[in-house]
Amino acid sequence: MVWLLDDVYDTKHRAYMMREKEMKLEPLKIRYHGVSGPAMPYDERYTPYIKQAGLLPWIQLVSRSMPNLNAPLVSGLADRWRSETHSFHLWTGEMTVTLENVSLITGLAIDGMPLCMSIDSDGWREQMIALIGMAPTEAEADVEEGEEKKKRERKAAGAAFTWIQTHFATCPPDATDDVIQTHARVYMRYVVSRSLFPDSTGKNAPWMWLKELTVFHSKWSWGSATLAYLYRQLDDACCRITDSAGIGGNMLLLSPISSSRPGDIELEPASCAKRAAKEEMLKGFFHMFATKETVQVTPEQVEWQPYGADDRLGYTPEFSINPMCLRDRDLWLMRCPLICNWAVEFHLPHRVFRQFGLFQPHPPEWVDTDKALHRLDRRRQRKIKDWDKHHASYVTRF
């Protein structure tokens, strides 16, 4: 007999700590950033190169604007996430983020090569200079201004967002094609690091994402990598209990599951400081209320297919979806490993067939999500550089 909840995860889980240990946990801090605005404006001359890289639908979306994210609501969902099944466990049953959500929300390709390669950072400054013409020096802040020296020494290979904004915010009007390509490559790295794969600090653009963009037409499966990274962030976040605990990944993908949310509480006009203090005071209430609302959703309240169904998929009275979002429709139900360098996470749509308008067998077939895979981390396994070789069997399966 297979037990659904594994003690390896359960005894560290936020829900366990709140239920059994009666701990009062703070909402998770969202490590996800918008990219619109004057700090790093989009330039139409980048478009051909971004299209070659397969990132155009997502970048056109986020370069305009992004919705504000509700940290207590995201925390309420993370509290219901189970790494054993890669799904949210609710009263109404299991729900999860699927490849369908990725396609219809981001427009990123599912078909393609798994995003898995060597992330060896030896000599990364020299490689960065060869690729984009410059790199932050050791004396220069490849960390945010004001951080302690000790923290700088632990920083992963990469450049601070502020450094990128300082040197690549604007492409010269008379730029040559080579200069435009360089700025386009840096812009893509900036967007990818802030919105698709934000790390736990939310301040640094790792070198590896620039390395992935060395060749524009690499045909990466950006969509499956985005979902793998989000799953791994949820795996980690559901076991974080410190006041400074955060969560990264593409939070926009949680929007179909978080449609039932607490109503907004009107805050009285006040100074910024007073307003911030009041919002901070309400965070705990929001988290408690969001958790309760998320748990108590009933099947009748769930819109299982918010994008439409069958021939009307993507064409609802409210909106019509770009046909590009439907190009990988045949892949949405595949059970496979999703890969993002060190992160290998299993896509298990058979556990949430109702989200596809299909009959849901109960219990669904058990698939082991592999505790050994969940323990792999680029910081803890620094000696592993060639993730494509380490995960060769999963790359082949994908």
Side-chain angles (χ1 to χ4, degrees):
M1 179 178 181
V2 176
W3 293 98
L4 186 59
L5 304 185
D6 193 313
D7 283 346
V8 170
Y9 304 114
D10 199 43
T11 55
K12 302 175 184 177
H13 204 282
R14 287 172 60 89
Y16 177 87
M17 293 298 178
M18 288 187 286
R19 183 185 67 250
E20 302 296 333
K21 304 296 184 181
E22 298 184 350
M23 292 182 65
K24 293 184 179 180
L25 301 180
E26 290 294 317
L28 295 165
K29 292 176 172 55
I30 296 177
R31 312 299 189 186
Y32 177 84
H33 305 277
V35 296
S36 59
M40 198 74 178
Y42 181 78
D43 191 314
E44 289 294 339
R45 291 175 292 175
Y46 303 160
T47 302
Y49 308 110
I50 295 174
K51 186 176 182 180
Q52 281 185 51
L55 291 168
L56 187 60
W58 176 248
I59 287 182
Q60 285 188 329
L61 174 66
V62 298
S63 64
R64 291 177 171 86
S65 65
M66 288 294 288
N68 292 324
L69 298 169
N70 187 324
L73 179 57
V74 170
S75 301
L77 283 173
D79 294 344
R80 308 301 301 175
W81 177 261
R82 300 302 312 195
S83 301
E84 300 93 330
T85 59
H86 291 163
S87 59
F88 302 99
H89 287 213
L90 311 171
W91 277 10
T92 189
E94 293 181 44
M95 298 181 73
T96 197
V97 184
T98 67
L99 289 173
E100 178 188 42
N101 300 126
V102 174
S103 289
L104 297 178
I105 293 174
T106 71
L108 295 172
I110 306 302
D111 193 17
M113 295 295 295
L115 193 63
C116 192
M117 63 183 295
S118 170
I119 60 171
D120 189 357
S121 59
D122 290 343
W124 68 270
R125 284 190 173 85
E126 291 75 16
Q127 294 180 61
M128 186 182 292
I129 291 171
L131 196 58
I132 64 173
M134 65 176 69
T137 63
E138 291 186 24
E140 200 173 16
D142 56 344
V143 293
E144 296 293 305
E145 184 179 352
E147 283 189 296
E148 299 172 5
K149 184 177 180 181
K150 188 176 180 181
K151 289 185 178 180
R152 293 189 186 190
E153 293 169 353
R154 295 198 303 264
K155 208 70 168 182
F161 292 132
T162 50
W163 183 89
I164 294 174
Q165 292 164 1
T166 299
H167 295 281
F168 292 96
T170 305
C171 186
D174 56 349
T176 64
D177 190 56
D178 286 344
V179 173
I180 294 172
Q181 285 189 43
T182 297
H183 276 74
R185 184 175 280 112
V186 174
Y187 183 80
M188 284 187 274
R189 175 200 188 183
Y190 179 83
V191 174
V192 163
S193 301
R194 288 175 68 88
S195 62
L196 290 182
F197 310 113
D199 65 12
S200 58
T201 66
K203 298 178 181 179
N204 203 49
W207 152 247
M208 61 181 166
W209 303 127
L210 183 60
K211 191 174 182 180
E212 310 277 9
L213 295 164
T214 301
V215 179
F216 288 132
H217 52 276
S218 296
K219 305 297 182 184
W220 296 120
S221 174
W222 291 107
S224 65
T226 299
L227 189 54
Y229 192 84
L230 178 62
Y231 279 7
R232 177 56 59 87
Q233 288 292 314
L234 286 164
D235 290 340
D236 293 341
C238 71
C239 293
R240 290 174 178 155
I241 60 174
T242 63
D243 290 347
S244 60
I247 182 172
N250 188 343
M251 295 289 100
L252 197 59
L253 294 176
L254 298 179
S255 57
I257 299 174
S258 60
S259 57
S260 296
R261 60 188 178 89
D264 295 328
I265 292 183
E266 193 70 28
L267 295 175
E268 62 184 82
S271 67
C272 291
K274 184 177 179 181
R275 185 183 181 92
K278 192 166 186 178
E279 289 176 343
E280 189 67 27
M281 180 181 67
L282 288 170
K283 273 185 180 179
F285 169 78
F286 275 139
H287 184 206
M288 177 188 69
F289 193 59
T291 301
K292 183 178 179 182
E293 289 283 301
T294 303
V295 171
Q296 294 182 349
V297 170
T298 64
E300 293 75 21
Q301 294 174 301
V302 175
E303 190 173 357
W304 293 100
Q305 295 180 277
Y307 313 106
D310 302 322
D311 293 338
R312 298 302 301 164
L313 178 65
Y315 301 95
T316 68
E318 292 79 18
F319 62 86
S320 294
I321 288 177
N322 189 318
M324 182 179 290
C325 298
L326 303 173
R327 59 186 165 177
D328 292 325
R329 185 174 179 177
D330 292 343
L331 303 177
W332 292 347
L333 280 167
M334 66 177 179
R335 290 162 57 175
C336 65
L338 306 169
I339 307 171
C340 181
N341 287 320
W342 64 91
V344 175
E345 303 282 333
F346 287 95
H347 185 239
L348 306 175
H350 70 289
R351 303 195 67 91
V352 291
F353 271 159
R354 285 181 292 182
Q355 291 180 219
F356 297 92
L358 302 173
F359 172 74
Q360 180 64 65
H362 187 78
E365 181 186 344
W366 175 256
V367 175
D368 186 3
T369 57
D370 198 334
K371 291 186 283 291
L373 285 176
H374 286 153
R375 285 194 293 268
L376 288 176
D377 181 270
R378 69 187 176 105
R379 290 186 176 88
R380 290 193 290 265
Q381 281 80 29
R382 291 179 182 274
K383 292 182 179 180
I384 302 176
K385 304 293 185 182
D386 298 321
W387 287 105
D388 51 340
K389 295 179 180 178
H390 189 82
H391 290 320
S393 62
Y394 297 108
V395 170
T396 301
R397 287 173 62 182
F398 180 84

